């Protein structure tokens, strides 16, 4: 699968570090998403961008800061994270047309460990 | 709010046999989509099958088929002729039609196909 790519695939960071996760989609979609996948918990939707505007911020702490410079790229900026933020972070994209959404396509994820 | 429940945390099946994964959901909406996603150990989430709520006919995709019971709010996935490559986490997901882009996931079922 190369439709949605994520870098890095693995990241270890201290609580005082600043890092960024990158997502790129090559599917011509107009919506992109960040999810958090923790052990033994359902996938949690964090942010949604549709046509480069943030349309959903699902009560995510401010230490997570998304950025969508264009419809193909999505970033998640991380700073002063906590150990409980360790998880797999998944990016996805989809096509949205007149408010109707279609299936989402996922990237391989970034495995984040906060020490 | 919508909820999705997968009551089977883990299942196993012998190669070439059939297995059914269960999913129930709760919503007051009448127009929505349902999905099954597969997440193999490599972590790339892949769409397996989708069902539009307005369609009475159950969706099928090769060896994968669903049993959609709208009144019962049930959406089970049947995998026929199970293959070793079917070993993965399977997630049931729900999306309201006019919301455009919000997926709600169940907790997942870990399926092991045994040789």
């Amino acid at each position: 699968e190369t439709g949605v790519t994520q870098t890095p695939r693995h990241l270890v960071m201290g609580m005082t570090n600043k890092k960024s996760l990158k997502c790129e989609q090559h599917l011509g979609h107009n919506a992109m998403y960040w999810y958090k996948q923790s052990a033994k918990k359902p996938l949690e939707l964090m942010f949604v961008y549709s046509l480069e505007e943030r349309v959903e911020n699902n009560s995510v702490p401010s230490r997570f800061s998304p950025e969508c410079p264009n419809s193909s790229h999505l970033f998640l900026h991380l700073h002063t994270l906590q150990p409980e933020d360790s998880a797999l972070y998944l990016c996805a994209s989809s096509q949205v047309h007149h408010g109707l959404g279609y299936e989402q396509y996922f990237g391989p994820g970034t495995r984040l460990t906060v020490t | 709010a919508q909820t999705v429940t997968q009551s089977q945390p883990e299942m196993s099946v012998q190669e070439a046999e059939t297995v059914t994964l269960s999913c129930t959901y709760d919503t007051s909406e009448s127009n929505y989509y349902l999905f099954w996603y597969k997440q193999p150990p490599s972590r790339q989430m892949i769409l397996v099958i989708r069902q539009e709520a307005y369609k009475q006919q159950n969706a099928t995709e090769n060896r994968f088929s669903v049993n959609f019971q709208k009144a019962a709010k049930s959406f089970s996935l049947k995998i026929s002729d199970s293959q070793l490559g079917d070993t993965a986490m399977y997630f049931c997901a729900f999306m309201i039609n006019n919301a455009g882009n919000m997926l709600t996931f169940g907790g997942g079922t870990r399926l092991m196909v045994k040789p």
Side-chain angles (χ1 to χ4, degrees), chain B residues 63 90 102:
Chain B
R63 296 182 296 107
Y90 286 83
M102 309 301 177

Side-chain angles (χ1 to χ4, degrees), chain B residues 65-86:
Chain B
S65 62
V66 298
N67 183 3
F68 175 46
Q69 302 289 328
K70 191 172 184 179
K73 296 181 182 175
S74 170
F75 182 61
S76 60
L77 175 69
K78 185 171 83 171
I79 306 174
S80 304
D81 186 25
S82 298
Q83 301 176 0
L84 296 178
D86 295 333

Side-chain angles (χ1 to χ4, degrees), chain B residues 71-114:
Chain B
K73 296 181 182 175
S74 170
F75 182 61
S76 60
L77 175 69
K78 185 171 83 171
I79 306 174
S80 304
D81 186 25
S82 298
Q83 301 176 0
L84 296 178
D86 295 333
T87 293
M89 282 289 290
Y90 286 83
F91 294 96
C92 178
F94 171 98
M95 182 174 75
I96 299 173
N97 202 10
N98 61 4
N101 43 23
M102 309 301 177
L103 269 179
T104 301
F105 283 87
T109 296
R110 185 178 303 279
L111 176 68
M112 173 74 73
V113 179
K114 298 180 178 178

Side-chain angles (χ1 to χ4, degrees), chain A residues 1-4 6 27 37 43 88 90-93 103-109, chain B residues 21 34-50 61-62 64 77 79 85-93 103 105:
Chain A
E1 287 287 341
T2 57
V4 181
Q6 290 186 243
L27 301 170
Q37 187 176 26
L43 272 78
L88 183 69
L90 292 169
C91 174
S93 72
E103 54 267 26
Q104 295 178 17
Y105 292 82
F106 287 80
Chain B
L21 310 183
L34 292 160
F35 305 90
W36 278 99
Y37 280 89
K38 169 185 176 181
Q39 189 179 37
S42 65
R43 298 291 185 178
Q44 187 100 29
M45 191 90 73
I46 304 165
L47 177 68
V48 174
I49 200 165
R50 63 177 270 167
E61 196 69 47
N62 300 318
F64 298 88
L77 175 69
I79 306 174
D86 295 333
T87 293
M89 282 289 290
Y90 286 83
F91 294 96
C92 178
L103 269 179
F105 283 87

